[in-house]
Amino acid sequence: MRLLAATIFVLAAPRLLSAQERGAVALGEAVAGLDVTTRVLLIGAHPDDEDTQLLTWLARGRQVETAYLSLTRGDGGQNLIGNELGPLLGMIRTEELLAARRLDGGRQFFTRAYDFGFSKTAEETYTHWVKDSILRDVVTVVRAFRPQIIVAVFSGTPRDGHGHHQVSGILAREAFDAAADTMRFPRAATVGLGAWVPAKFYRAQRFNPADATLTMNVGELSPFRGMTYAEIASVSRSQHLSQGFGALQRRGTWFDYVKLEASHVSPPIVRETSMFETLATGWGRFASAQLPAGARAAIDSLDGAIADVRRAENLAAPAPMVAPLARVVGLLERARSGLTCPRNGFAGGCMGVEGDLAISLETALRRAQQALLSAAGVLVEATAPRELVAVHDTIPVTVSVYNQGRGDVVLDGASAWMQNVYGTPPAGTPVTIVPDSSARVTLPLVSEWASAPWWMENGFQPGTDMFRPPPGGIISANGPIGEDRVAETHARAALRIAGASFVVDAGPVVYRYADPARGELRRPVASVPAVSLRFDDQVEYARVGTALDREYALRVASSATAARAVTVELTLPKGLVTDSTVRHVALDPFSSKTVVFRVKGQLPKGRHYVNATASSGGEKFMTGWLPITYEHIRPLRYYRMATVQIEAVEAQLPRNPQVAYVKGVSDNVAPMLYQLGIRVTMLSPELLATADLSRYGAVVVGPRAFAATPLIAASAARLQEYARAGGTVVVQYGQQEMQTPGYLPYPVTLSRTAERVTDENAPVKVLEPSSRLLAYPNRITPDDFKGWVQERATYMPTTADPHYRRLLEMHDPGEPPNENAVLVAPLGKGAYVYCTLALFRQLPAGVPGGARIFLNLLAATGESTASALPRP
């Protein structure tokens, strides 16, 4: 099956998803922005890096078209709300950014850079990202969005801490000049976009206000929303729940700061009263542009027409605003039609001032249309009878127009389509909609391929941590369009209101349904394969020399409108057998069944694969999708092959393989231990204080559990009592909270920027070669540190009490040694292990050494040299 050869993907809806904002707030803000033609682009490295307060103050408070360009989608971060990591987390954080932008009014862009995890320097980051490629992406976005002002979130110096942050600050400054350089970046290299010269370049100074050249009170009250811009920004920032950024709303006066660093228009850099000092912001800045006569006349008439709208402005009773708003819409349509460049979302065919004008007109036209619809009491929406449509199937879409105003509205036609950004123009027989009535047009919507994240369509560029660009451009058309306008489904309606004819965007197409506990919910329609296959796991362990006897459950699902006869075939590696590798499944429309294969045998050391394929109706299917659902974001679907990777490891178990596991953050370790033969009991934090722990050989506490769950922190003493009684406690890494007295049996300290080893290949020195912990039940060798992913260790203590034994030393190149990655404290008859090795990444990735090391940690009690240590 072909997944997205060149498609556009929409991630789908947290609240009432609608293409149209309505009411007094939407009307007031849209009218306020009719004569604002300026644009500001903020550039940072990750989701949640943006200066949300500045963005909100500009977008909601000054009606400036404001966007955030994040170099990455935050794939390499951690996840406080679930177990998704890597590309799945990148999908979640992309959607969290889009949810934030819907609140703060901003636009959203990305480059092809993949967040490969924490980086300490810009130089290290460039070993993962090809600098000129990422810079070209940034230049493409600058040329598409055409900002007058660029604001770098970071300084571009080591002061930024994170190498990604430094790179974003460096590339932002380079792009400020490079966007105008068609020798370095020809038009062909930036999807046909020509030179653009931003006027001013600023750096955010939130954490260094003494160097600021401009101070803004982002605590001003929005007259439309009844909240300060800082309060709105707090709500926006709270969408980053996967990063634990839920926050109180900031009330009262609150200042933000920027520093003017470079300018193509300003006199010597001095303190300013406005970012737009020396810049024209209205339609008058196009007064000298050479334009076709029709466009020129329309532009010259705009200021007067907008003044008429404001004279008639009455947000509580807006009917008198309809006629002047209709005139503004007509003038904007006439002006835009007079330009030569296509309406492709970024005015790709227009150069210089004409391109600037085209983008400004399209922004104003969206605002004017929104204002006209709100004033006229008109709602346009597109709905479908279900959420999912199978590839090559058709689903009916109803475009509805509701007239709750005082005048007639004419629906001249409608159109709906999937996966083609340009689509078809609306068509149909005109229908007059009188007040307090509605009209509907039903159209077929045909799916050509499955909905999937477009940036992952072609995997990774070899040898880099960058997504491979799709054919036809560095980031296809989706990059310069902006992620907030990339959509899987589209619908348009051609309307006439008060003499103005225009086409309004009614997409995305949504499925409406009632949830008894939450009320009305809306989900965008998406396309999926007619038949999907999915195993529960992608990666598993097996032990060499141990008989494997497992059941593999394969979910086979149909999204087709007709019944399907499906033949499923399992392919096994040498050494494994099953009773029958071929099964036949009859699927009703929109149904699923689970086929279970019992697999037995033994595997030699190494990597092996179990694969499933399905045949139906002359087609072959080899993929399935994993739903990702959280209430604060729209539903997502992660596609993966119907394959299980089995890593066969030479590993022995501790004498008592019964383990109690208390889950932490982003924690997928317990299932991997179970596959190795550990008898894992998941222990809830509520039971930790009272459960009988004596039967367990070890109690494991997951990553960051002390901070995430107060009940675990409250049971710290219980864990130490269990160790004194002869048990083994293994606590995986925490952050600054681990310095809290009593959390660990002996104190540790962490530097403010905690030490970590981000080079997954960094040398590891064994400090105690005779340590039983490195010999039982598995002898740890240098091979056990090969093939690691993303990092060696994270949030390592800088100092640790002498009671701890130190087993390993590691450090990144050019940094001092750190011996605190694994700390072992004998307690009474048992042992307490504090481990900051990134095992929470290694085990889910199937790294052999990660499994062997973890099994040894479970057997820490009985460390043969422990008697030499002082006892508590």
Side-chain angles (χ1 to χ4, degrees):
M1 183 193 66
R2 172 174 170 271
L3 283 179
L4 277 181
T7 190
I8 295 171
F9 175 65
V10 69
L11 302 160
R15 304 175 182 81
L16 289 182
L17 181 69
S18 175
Q20 181 183 332
E21 286 191 73
R22 295 188 292 166
V25 172
L27 175 58
E29 288 184 343
V31 169
L34 289 177
D35 55 358
V36 180
T37 65
T38 41
R39 293 174 294 278
V40 174
L41 178 65
L42 280 68
I43 300 178
H46 309 106
D48 72 38
D49 282 347
E50 72 270 34
D51 186 338
T52 315
Q53 296 176 62
L54 175 59
L55 192 155
T56 306
W57 182 79
L58 287 166
R60 294 294 188 196
R62 299 300 181 270
Q63 281 67 52
V64 173
E65 185 85 334
T66 310
Y68 174 50
L69 169 58
S70 176
L71 297 190
T72 77
R73 297 172 187 267
D75 329 71
Q78 293 156 12
N79 183 0
L80 269 66
I81 60 175
N83 295 333
E84 299 87 358
L85 292 173
L88 287 81
L89 180 58
M91 293 171 64
I92 291 171
R93 298 188 69 185
T94 294
E95 180 55 30
E96 287 179 334
L97 267 183
L98 295 175
R101 296 297 84 84
R102 287 191 287 272
L103 292 166
D104 56 39
R107 303 281 319 283
Q108 185 60 52
F109 295 90
F110 294 97
T111 75
R112 76 183 89 172
Y114 177 76
D115 180 354
F116 56 85
F118 189 84
S119 171
K120 295 180 178 178
T121 66
E123 292 72 23
E124 180 193 0
T125 299
Y126 286 137
T127 66
H128 295 262
W129 302 343
V130 179
K131 179 182 177 181
D132 279 355
S133 297
I134 303 303
L135 176 58
R136 182 170 54 167
D137 288 1
V138 177
V139 168
T140 300
V141 171
V142 171
R143 289 180 176 179
F145 187 63
R146 296 173 173 89
Q148 283 71 41
I149 293 172
I150 293 176
V151 181
V153 175
F154 295 105
S155 69
T157 69
R159 187 180 71 193
D160 297 326
H162 199 315
H164 299 181
H165 294 169
Q166 295 178 49
V167 166
S168 75
I170 293 167
L171 296 186
R173 179 64 184 86
E174 289 191 25
F176 177 70
D177 294 321
D181 188 347
T182 55
M183 293 294 290
R184 184 175 183 186
F185 294 106
R187 286 180 57 186
T190 56
V191 292
L193 292 161
W196 176 250
V197 183
K200 300 168 94 174
F201 179 85
Y202 289 87
R203 289 198 191 272
Q205 299 293 318
R206 287 176 293 171
F207 306 113
N208 192 27
D211 287 349
T213 59
L214 178 63
T215 301
M216 296 147 290
N217 179 15
V218 296
E220 293 175 355
L221 184 69
S222 166
F224 303 114
R225 295 181 178 262
M227 300 171 69
T228 69
Y229 301 111
E231 287 178 297
I232 298 169
S234 295
V235 179
S236 168
R237 193 157 183 78
S238 293
Q239 302 309 301
H240 297 290
L241 295 184
S242 69
Q243 305 307 296
F245 279 5
L248 293 173
Q249 297 175 24
R250 287 178 167 173
R251 295 190 169 92
T253 300
W254 199 267
F255 292 104
D256 208 336
Y257 308 88
V258 293
K259 177 182 179 180
L260 180 62
E261 189 173 288
S263 175
H264 293 134
V265 297
S266 301
I269 296 171
V270 294
R271 291 194 175 272
E272 302 172 288
T273 59
S274 167
M275 294 179 82
F276 305 100
E277 225 169 80
T278 71
L279 296 179
T281 61
W283 295 109
R285 68 188 185 88
F286 300 106
S288 60
Q290 299 298 312
L291 302 172
R296 176 79 274 158
I299 294 293
D300 291 344
S301 301
L302 273 175
D303 283 337
I306 293 168
D308 290 341
V309 171
R310 289 176 177 155
R311 278 191 288 270
E313 187 169 358
N314 184 338
L315 302 183
M321 301 174 65
V322 171
L325 278 168
R327 180 170 179 245
V328 171
V329 169
L331 290 171
L332 291 168
E333 286 279 5
R334 198 151 63 244
R336 182 63 182 88
S337 298
L339 303 182
T340 58
C341 45
R343 300 195 189 200
N344 56 8
F346 51 90
C350 283
M351 301 296 113
V353 114
E354 189 176 1
D356 180 9
L357 175 58
I359 294 293
S360 298
L361 286 170
E362 290 175 10
T363 299
L365 193 52
R366 280 191 294 273
R367 292 171 174 174
Q369 288 179 357
Q370 181 183 57
L372 178 56
L373 292 172
S374 294
V378 175
L379 170 66
V380 185
E381 67 176 6
T383 58
R386 63 181 187 275
E387 179 183 0
L388 301 178
V389 55
V391 174
H392 304 314
D393 269 359
T394 301
I395 189 171
V397 171
T398 301
V399 177
S400 303
V401 181
Y402 300 89
N403 181 5
Q404 296 172 300
R406 297 186 181 179
D408 291 353
V409 174
V410 178
L411 171 60
D412 283 321
S415 60
W417 68 97
M418 291 189 82
Q419 299 154 330
N420 181 333
V421 66
Y422 304 115
T424 56
T429 303
V431 178
T432 298
I433 310 169
V434 299
D436 297 321
S437 67
S438 61
R440 293 173 177 81
V441 177
T442 300
L443 304 162
L445 190 68
V446 182
S447 165
E448 295 297 332
W449 51 77
S451 308
W454 65 269
W455 62 91
M456 292 194 286
E457 151 73 9
N458 295 294
F460 288 95
Q461 195 167 315
T464 73
D465 280 305
M466 303 190 306
F467 293 109
R468 189 199 302 267
I474 63 154
I475 40 180
S476 186
N478 296 325
I481 285 172
E483 200 71 36
D484 54 306
R485 292 184 182 161
V486 171
E488 176 64 27
T489 59
H490 307 262
R492 289 178 183 163
L495 302 177
R496 275 182 281 157
I497 300 177
S501 297
F502 59 98
V503 175
V504 63
D505 184 3
V509 180
V510 298
Y511 165 59
R512 298 172 61 201
Y513 69 101
D515 182 302
R518 299 171 62 194
E520 179 176 336
L521 297 178
R522 301 180 185 180
R523 293 176 179 247
V525 170
S527 179
V528 296
V531 176
S532 299
L533 308 172
R534 190 183 80 231
F535 287 112
D536 291 337
D537 300 316
Q538 284 185 282
V539 180
E540 292 186 353
Y541 281 121
R543 286 193 295 134
V544 173
T546 302
L548 184 147
D549 186 351
R550 291 180 187 171
E551 289 187 342
Y552 285 89
L554 180 70
R555 183 179 183 271
V556 186
S558 170
S559 297
T561 54
R564 284 265 186 170
V566 181
T567 299
V568 177
E569 184 173 0
L570 196 70
T571 304
L572 295 173
K574 186 177 180 180
L576 298 183
V577 296
T578 187
D579 50 354
S580 173
T581 58
V582 178
R583 305 288 176 85
H584 301 284
V585 182
L587 292 177
D588 293 330
F590 315 117
S591 69
S592 66
K593 290 184 179 178
T594 298
V595 180
V596 178
F597 296 89
R598 186 170 183 179
V599 175
K600 298 181 179 181
Q602 289 192 24
L603 290 171
K605 180 180 177 181
R607 184 166 297 175
H608 312 274
Y609 295 94
V610 174
N611 299 300
T613 59
S615 302
S616 178
E619 295 181 271
K620 276 195 174 293
F621 302 90
M622 295 176 289
T623 63
W625 48 271
L626 180 72
I628 303 173
T629 55
Y630 293 99
E631 287 192 9
H632 71 298
I633 60 174
R634 303 179 293 189
L636 307 166
R637 296 169 192 89
Y638 175 71
Y639 282 86
R640 66 192 194 194
M641 299 295 291
T643 298
V644 179
Q645 172 189 313
I646 304 177
E647 196 71 40
V649 182
E650 292 180 331
Q652 303 300 316
L653 303 183
R655 277 189 291 269
N656 183 353
Q658 295 192 82
V659 169
Y661 198 104
V662 185
K663 190 172 183 177
V665 171
S666 304
D667 192 353
N668 296 308
V669 169
M672 309 307 290
L673 293 175
Y674 179 80
Q675 292 158 15
L676 289 164
I678 296 296
R679 296 198 284 273
V680 178
T681 299
M682 299 305 295
L683 197 63
S684 70
E686 292 80 8
L687 292 177
L688 182 57
T690 58
D692 178 9
L693 303 179
S694 61
R695 66 189 180 94
Y696 299 111
V699 176
V700 179
V701 179
R704 298 178 65 182
F706 278 77
T709 309
L711 284 173
I712 296 175
S715 297
R718 178 89 199 284
L719 290 170
Q720 294 171 36
E721 290 171 7
Y722 163 75
R724 288 189 179 93
T728 295
V729 175
V730 179
V731 174
Q732 297 173 72
Y733 91 98
Q735 297 183 331
Q736 302 294 334
E737 72 278 358
M738 301 313 292
Q739 300 175 102
T740 305
Y743 277 20
L744 295 175
Y746 303 106
V748 299
T749 65
L750 281 78
S751 57
R752 183 171 180 179
T753 301
E755 295 181 36
R756 57 177 84 192
V757 180
T758 61
D759 183 353
E760 63 270 31
N761 299 310
V764 177
K765 179 181 178 181
V766 174
L767 299 176
E768 288 195 27
S770 62
S771 169
R772 182 174 180 272
L773 200 64
L774 298 176
Y776 176 80
N778 302 288
R779 182 162 297 282
I780 303 304
T781 72
D783 285 346
D784 290 304
F785 294 97
K786 293 179 180 178
W788 282 42
V789 297
Q790 188 159 324
E791 56 192 344
R792 283 274 193 229
T794 188
Y795 289 91
M796 303 164 73
T798 302
T799 66
D801 188 276
H803 286 83
Y804 290 109
R805 299 195 77 91
R806 295 149 175 84
L807 303 181
L808 304 172
E809 184 278 315
M810 59 192 70
H811 60 274
D812 277 329
E815 295 196 350
N818 187 303
E819 300 179 352
N820 300 319
V822 180
L823 299 173
V824 184
L827 287 184
K829 299 177 181 179
Y832 195 112
V833 179
Y834 182 56
C835 178
T836 58
L837 292 175
L839 298 177
F840 74 100
R841 295 195 189 277
Q842 311 315 315
L843 270 73
V847 175
R852 289 163 48 84
I853 291 169
F854 210 114
L855 292 174
N856 280 27
L857 297 181
L858 298 178
T861 294
E863 175 73 39
S864 60
T865 56
S867 59
L869 290 173
R871 295 189 177 274

